[in-house]
Amino acid sequence: MKTNFTFFILLICFYASAQTHRFIYDVEYKKDSTSQITTKENYHLDISGDEVLYYTRDFFIADSLIVNNFPFPKDMKLNTSTIIKHKKGSSSFEEYDLLENTVLNLQTTDSQNFLLTSEKKQVKDLTLQKATTTWGGRNWIAWFSKEIPFQEGPYKFHGLPGLIVEITDDKDNYKFSLVRSENIKESTENQYIEMAYQMSIPVTWEKFKNTKIKFYESPINFIKNGIGSSKNNEFYLNDGTIVNPANSREVNDRLRNMIKQYNNPIELDKAIFYP
């Protein structure tokens, strides 16, 4: 596992009086389970008091650029869809799913029944112990460290007697790897995450699923209904695409194809069937 942190720095993080412990993960995954092509993104796991927040690093970068009046890179695309929030040690989660200009807030209860093994390995200064579980329609192999005293991990994984440093499914569709840790002395609000909270609509699982299907049926109409009229009938997607009457059908078809093809969620048992 590639890693940039040291155990000494981590120990300082845990016993300092700072408000936020930030763990940054590489997430490698297959958008399309039938393809060998993988995508890599960075995610933050922020532990502040009793609150645990998991979100894409792109939100952090974008917020920093705006605060410091720097322009956005041309290749930056804020199209990652999920923010996960819960209380430390709790199995109750709030999931914020971004459908362009709509944010769905789904409350779930999730826990993993991990089987601890005696197998261990050394990574840099950390001793990792292996654990396995079946959850979300996949078989998972986790490596955690008791030397990092948080019973948390990336996404909704939690409950082991130490931070989850690595976790992967046995089909190599998803791999989460801790690559860095930071000690944040003064926590600040992230405007993208705060905006998602403010815009969010509480939904049941049935409403969540039906809304995703409605979005798939006509993504452009769904977005236009959410934003109302716009100047010159133009609007932007979160990935920076400009949509106008000349290309709306092409963009609509592209979005539909992507939704249907890239339907390989972490929780495979909650995959939505798109007609």
Side-chain angles (χ1 to χ4, degrees):
M1 180 190 72
K2 182 179 69 176
T3 181
N4 298 323
F5 58 85
T6 66
F7 184 43
F8 178 71
I9 293 176
L10 286 170
L11 283 177
I12 293 176
C13 290
F14 300 143
Y15 297 109
S17 60
Q19 293 183 359
T20 301
H21 305 291
R22 173 168 294 159
F23 301 95
I24 302 174
Y25 288 83
D26 271 350
V27 182
E28 296 182 68
Y29 65 101
K30 296 177 183 176
K31 293 182 178 180
D32 180 355
S33 62
T34 65
S35 171
Q36 293 304 309
I37 298 174
T38 60
T39 298
K40 180 185 285 189
E41 297 179 10
N42 285 126
Y43 274 78
H44 284 191
L45 179 70
D46 286 357
I47 303 176
S48 305
D50 65 348
E51 181 178 284
V52 182
L53 187 63
Y54 178 77
Y55 59 97
T56 175
R57 182 169 173 80
D58 283 349
F59 287 165
F60 167 78
I61 295 172
D63 184 77
S64 298
L65 291 174
I66 288 180
V67 168
N68 293 286
N69 294 315
F70 290 127
F72 275 49
K74 292 183 179 180
D75 59 348
M76 187 169 189
K77 299 180 178 181
L78 295 175
N79 56 357
T80 303
S81 65
T82 304
I83 301 166
I84 304 292
K85 179 182 179 182
H86 82 128
K87 296 296 184 183
K88 189 164 60 177
S90 170
S91 296
S92 297
F93 289 83
E94 287 189 77
E95 179 177 332
Y96 296 85
D97 195 273
L98 283 65
L99 293 177
E100 295 294 336
N101 58 331
T102 299
V103 183
L104 304 179
N105 174 209
L106 179 66
Q107 297 193 19
T108 68
T109 300
D110 293 283
S111 60
Q112 298 83 36
N113 184 20
F114 281 103
L115 176 64
L116 273 63
T117 76
S118 59
E119 187 175 348
K120 295 182 180 180
K121 66 179 181 180
Q122 197 75 18
V123 176
K124 298 292 183 178
D125 299 307
L126 292 174
T127 299
L128 305 185
Q129 185 174 345
K130 182 179 178 181
T132 61
T133 189
T134 297
W135 177 79
R138 301 184 191 273
N139 298 317
W140 298 93
I141 299 168
W143 293 90
F144 68 96
S145 175
K146 293 181 178 179
E147 296 159 322
I148 309 178
F150 293 113
Q151 297 185 10
E152 304 294 340
Y155 191 61
K156 298 179 183 178
F157 297 105
H158 67 114
L160 284 167
L163 187 78
I164 296 173
V165 175
E166 297 178 31
I167 186 164
T168 183
D169 72 289
D170 63 352
K171 303 296 184 184
D172 291 325
N173 280 274
Y174 281 88
K175 181 179 181 180
F176 304 80
S177 304
L178 178 65
V179 294
R180 186 178 171 189
S181 72
E182 297 176 351
N183 193 33
I184 312 300
K185 293 183 178 180
E186 294 184 6
S187 297
T188 57
E189 290 185 349
N190 183 294
Q191 58 189 305
Y192 288 94
I193 295 175
E194 292 302 318
M195 188 180 300
Y197 293 161
Q198 294 171 19
M199 292 174 57
S200 65
I201 303 168
V203 292
T204 63
W205 166 247
E206 283 302 314
K207 180 67 173 178
F208 179 90
K209 182 172 64 175
N210 291 338
T211 304
K212 298 275 259 187
I213 291 173
K214 186 176 181 181
F215 180 77
Y216 164 77
E217 288 173 347
S218 183
I220 296 303
N221 283 339
F222 185 99
I223 297 166
K224 287 172 68 175
N225 289 337
I227 62 176
S229 60
S230 60
K231 186 177 180 181
N232 299 324
N233 267 337
E234 286 189 349
F235 58 90
Y236 285 84
L237 300 182
N238 288 342
D239 67 0
T241 300
I242 300 176
V243 182
N244 55 47
N247 69 352
S248 62
R249 178 175 293 183
E250 176 189 345
V251 174
N252 195 71
D253 290 344
R254 174 171 62 83
L255 291 174
R256 280 172 53 87
N257 290 335
M258 288 175 61
I259 292 168
K260 194 162 187 177
Q261 180 181 359
Y262 297 158
N263 190 22
N264 186 31
I266 297 173
E267 297 175 66
L268 189 59
D269 57 356
K270 290 184 179 177
I272 296 171
F273 174 73
Y274 296 105

